[in-house]
Amino acid sequence: MAPLDLAFWHLESTAHPLHLGALAHFGPTPVPAGHEPPDVLELLARRAAAVPRLRMRVRDVLIPVGGAAWSADPDFDVHRHVREIVLPGVDFPAETARLAAELMERPVERGLPPWEMYLLTGAPDGSFAVLVKLHHALADGMRAVAIGAGIFDEIAAGRRPAGRPRPVPPRSWLPGPGRLLGLARDRLGDLGRAVEVGASVVGSSVARATRPAEAFAAESSGTRRIATATLDLDRVQRIRRATGGTSNDVLLAVTAGALRRWFEGRGLPLPGTDPQALVPVSRRRPGAPPGPGNSLSGYLLDLPVTEADPAARLAAVRRAMDRNKAAGPFRGAGAVALLADQLHPLAHRFGAPLAAGAARLLFDVLITQVPLPRTALSLGGAPLRALFPMAPLARGQSLAVAMSPYGGRVHIGLVADGEAVPDLDALAAALHAELDLLDPPEAAPTSA
C-alpha cells in the first residue's frame, strides 16, 4: 500500500470519513415497444464486480512494520456494496441531495473493499441517480474517474470481464546485493526529497500560523450537507478567452466571489484576510494510465474574497496560479501530500491523530476539479445528464468544493458540515450570480 494511501487510511475517523463521492443523474431509459426496461441495479452490480480494484480490501502486513497491503477479498459479494433506495419522487433532485448527504456522513466498512454504490429511484419520469462512495485510500480523483467509468455503457462494452486476481509470484524477503544498493540509493534520494519538501511545508505552515483565525474552521458535528450548481461551460470559456489564464482560474475566481457574496448575505463581516484554498494537483502524466494509488500534490491559493471587483479577483487568481505553476508542486504547504508519500508506515499509523488536525493550519477550503471523459455517457441506455463530484472534509473544516466539466456544463458539488453551514444552497446560488458578473447575460430582446 503506497504511503499516501496509507496516510488517508489512518487519517479517517468516525466523525471524519475520508471517502470521495459522486452523484450522477441519468435520464429515463428509452425502451422500445414490447421490451422490458433493463434491471439497472443488477447492471450496476455486474459492472462493479468486473472492476478488479473494487474487489480489493486492506490488510495489515508484517513488513514493512506498520504497513498495510491491498488483497483480493476471498468472500467478495458485490451485493453488500450495491443497493437500491426508492425516494418519494416529489422533488427528486432535492431528495437525492438530501439522501446523499446522509449517506456521505457514514464511513465505509473497513473490513470489506472500501466502497459503496447506491441506485436512487422514484422519479415520476423514470430518471434515476447513482451515488458512488470510494475511500480516498482506494483512489484519488483521477483514479476514481477511471474506476467509476467502468459502470458506463461505453466503457463497459470494451472491457473484458474480470477474472481471478493475478497471483503475485513469491520472492525472497532478503534482497540481493544489487537490490540493496539500489534501495539505498533510492532511499537517499527519497530522504533528500523529503527534506526539501518538508522544509517548504514547514516554512509555509509557520507563515500560515501568523495569519488570523481561519474563516471556515469549524468543530465537526459529524453531519453533512450537500448542494449542487451547474454553470455553462461556454460562458466560462468565453471569459477565459477574453482575460487569459485557464478555465480553472475562472472557476476559482467565481468561487471566491461566491464566498464574498455568501458572507454578505449572512450579514457577516468579511474575513480580515483572504482565506487559503488547497487546489489539488495530479502528478500523473497526461495520457498515462491512472495507476493503482494516489498521486497528488497541491497548490495553495489566497482566494481574493476581500477584493470587491470581479475582474480584479480573476486577475489576482490568475497571477497566483501562474506563480504556483512556475514554482512547481514541490513548494509550499500544498506539497504536504508529497511529504506524506516519503514517510515510513509507522509514522502514518501513530502520527495520524496529530496529522488529522493539521489541515486547518494549512488551508481553509478545498477546491478541486475532477475531469470526466468528453464523450457522451449512459447507463443501461439512460443518458448521463449531470455528475456532481464530492470531496471529503478535513478535520476542523466546514466546506469542500469539487467541479467536473461534462456535456457543455460545469457540475459543482458542495460538501459542508451540516451545522456549520446550514445555508449551503445560498452559496450554490451565489456561484451563478458571480458568473453573471464576469459574463453578463445578454439583454432580453425588446418588442417593437
Side-chain angles (χ1 to χ4, degrees):
M1 196 173 186
L4 186 53
D5 300 351
L6 190 65
F8 286 132
W9 189 248
H10 288 308
L11 283 171
E12 181 175 68
S13 66
T14 302
H16 303 90
L18 273 181
H19 46 254
L20 312 172
L23 181 62
H25 287 269
F26 295 87
T29 304
V31 181
H35 290 72
E36 290 292 324
D39 186 337
V40 178
L41 182 65
E42 189 54 38
L43 184 65
L44 273 177
R46 184 170 69 251
R47 290 182 178 173
V51 178
R53 185 74 170 166
L54 295 183
R55 293 173 170 265
M56 309 298 283
R57 65 177 181 178
V58 178
R59 62 177 178 85
D60 292 335
V61 295
L62 294 177
I63 300 175
V65 177
W70 293 104
S71 64
D73 183 357
D75 301 315
F76 178 76
D77 179 1
V78 71
H79 294 98
R80 299 175 73 175
H81 301 265
V82 180
R83 305 175 181 90
E84 180 177 8
I85 300 177
V86 181
L87 296 172
V90 178
D91 185 351
F92 189 72
E95 286 295 318
T96 57
R98 179 195 60 77
L99 180 59
E102 293 181 8
L103 295 173
M104 290 295 286
E105 293 175 5
R106 310 173 189 172
V108 294
E109 190 171 341
R110 293 173 74 89
L112 300 174
W115 64 276
E116 298 169 2
M117 198 176 293
Y118 295 89
L119 172 63
L120 310 179
T121 59
D125 65 352
S127 60
F128 59 91
V130 175
L131 174 68
V132 180
K133 292 169 55 178
L134 298 171
H135 197 285
H136 211 333
L138 186 68
D140 57 19
M142 294 287 287
R143 180 69 187 180
V145 170
I147 291 174
I151 72 169
F152 294 115
D153 298 337
E154 294 73 17
I155 287 83
R159 189 184 60 197
R160 293 181 180 179
R164 287 185 172 275
R166 183 176 299 176
V168 177
R171 65 179 181 181
S172 171
W173 62 276
L174 289 174
R179 176 64 176 156
L180 278 174
L181 182 60
L183 286 172
R185 187 166 51 244
D186 291 345
R187 291 309 298 161
L188 285 174
D190 290 346
L191 180 59
R193 174 70 56 80
V195 170
E196 178 186 4
V197 174
S200 185
V201 169
V202 170
S204 295
S205 301
V206 170
R208 169 74 172 161
T210 64
R211 294 161 57 94
E214 297 87 342
F216 303 98
E219 293 302 323
S220 175
S221 66
T223 62
R224 292 291 180 268
R225 187 174 295 273
I226 288 173
T228 62
T230 303
L231 304 182
D232 189 316
L233 184 57
D234 286 342
R235 297 180 68 192
V236 173
Q237 296 283 20
R238 186 160 58 238
I239 298 167
R240 177 193 62 79
R241 288 191 295 269
T243 60
T246 68
S247 297
N248 196 45
D249 295 342
V250 176
L251 292 169
L252 289 168
V254 166
T255 304
L259 290 171
R260 177 186 176 90
R261 183 180 295 264
W262 179 57
F263 269 98
E264 292 172 342
R266 281 180 153 197
L268 298 175
L270 292 173
T273 187
D274 287 328
Q276 281 195 326
L278 176 65
V279 183
V281 178
S282 175
R283 291 188 286 135
R284 305 186 194 280
R285 293 181 179 179
N294 284 270
S295 184
L296 293 171
S297 183
Y299 296 139
L300 283 184
L301 170 70
D302 285 341
L303 284 174
V305 170
T306 57
E307 171 58 60
D309 180 59
R313 282 198 293 268
L314 177 53
V317 166
R318 188 171 64 249
R319 289 193 301 269
M321 290 300 289
D322 286 346
R323 288 194 299 270
N324 276 326
K325 293 168 188 174
F330 296 95
R331 295 288 187 272
V336 67
L338 291 174
L339 180 61
D341 229 358
Q342 307 295 328
L343 298 179
H344 191 277
L346 279 176
H348 293 304
R349 187 176 290 269
F350 294 111
L354 293 175
R360 67 193 303 173
L361 301 178
L362 300 176
F363 60 94
D364 298 306
V365 59
L366 174 72
I367 306 177
T368 184
Q369 187 169 150
V370 182
L372 294 177
R374 295 184 179 181
T375 57
L377 300 172
S378 62
L379 175 59
L384 176 66
R385 288 178 171 172
L387 190 146
F388 300 100
M390 290 173 284
L393 280 183
R395 185 190 298 258
Q397 294 181 328
S398 58
L399 177 67
V401 183
M403 309 176 182
S404 281
Y406 173 77
R409 299 287 186 270
V410 181
H411 305 289
I412 303 176
L414 306 169
V415 178
D417 182 276
E419 291 187 7
V421 190
D423 56 343
L424 191 60
D425 289 336
L427 179 56
L431 291 165
H432 293 275
E434 287 303 312
L435 184 64
D436 288 344
L437 287 180
L438 287 170
D439 181 51
E442 295 180 1
T446 57
S447 57

